[in-house]
Amino acid sequence: MKKPLTLILLLLCISLPLRAQNTDSLYQALEDHTREDSLRVKLLLKLARIEFFSNQTKMLSLTREGLEIAEKISYDRGLAICYTYLGIYYRAQVDFV
């Protein structure tokens, strides 16, 4: 049980250099692309992955929007990633102390 979660967290940590990307350009691309399709879901998830390290509340809202669109357009891969990100978010919120 711990190994899959550890692997996911490791993959997220490896993606830390993505934070160096210009997030403004990603937000601009998201603003420009208003059509609810798989590209918008991918943009939302890319931003959610970046925001996880700095603003988890924003990460949650981006992921939920992606989930809503993925459900609407039956984008299974997007659904899977959204649910994974939601699981990571809620797991990070648990206080074991």
Side-chain angles (χ1 to χ4, degrees):
M1 179 73 173
K2 286 187 175 183
K3 287 185 180 185
L5 181 61
T6 304
L7 179 61
I8 291 169
L9 290 175
L10 178 63
L11 291 173
L12 283 173
C13 290
I14 291 171
S15 69
L16 186 58
L18 290 175
R19 182 70 184 149
Q21 282 183 349
N22 189 351
T23 56
D24 291 339
S25 64
L26 289 173
Y27 276 108
Q28 184 62 49
L30 186 64
E31 188 176 309
D32 293 343
H33 190 82
T34 57
R35 191 166 151 214
E36 292 188 344
D37 60 4
S38 62
L39 178 58
R40 184 165 179 84
V41 174
K42 289 175 186 177
L43 286 168
L44 287 163
L45 291 173
K46 185 176 271 194
L47 283 165
R49 185 175 58 212
I50 293 168
E51 292 292 356
F52 177 78
F53 298 101
S54 61
N55 186 348
Q56 291 185 355
T57 305
K58 184 68 175 171
M59 179 261 197
L60 181 61
S61 68
L62 291 165
T63 303
R64 284 184 174 162
E65 184 181 344
L67 179 63
E68 189 177 303
I69 295 169
E71 285 176 341
K72 191 182 296 185
I73 64 171
S74 300
Y75 178 40
D76 292 336
R77 181 169 169 76
L79 281 170
I81 297 169
C82 287
Y83 282 123
T84 300
Y85 284 11
L86 287 174
I88 291 168
Y89 170 82
Y90 287 115
R91 178 72 176 188
Q93 301 306 309
V94 176
D95 184 9
F96 292 103
V97 178

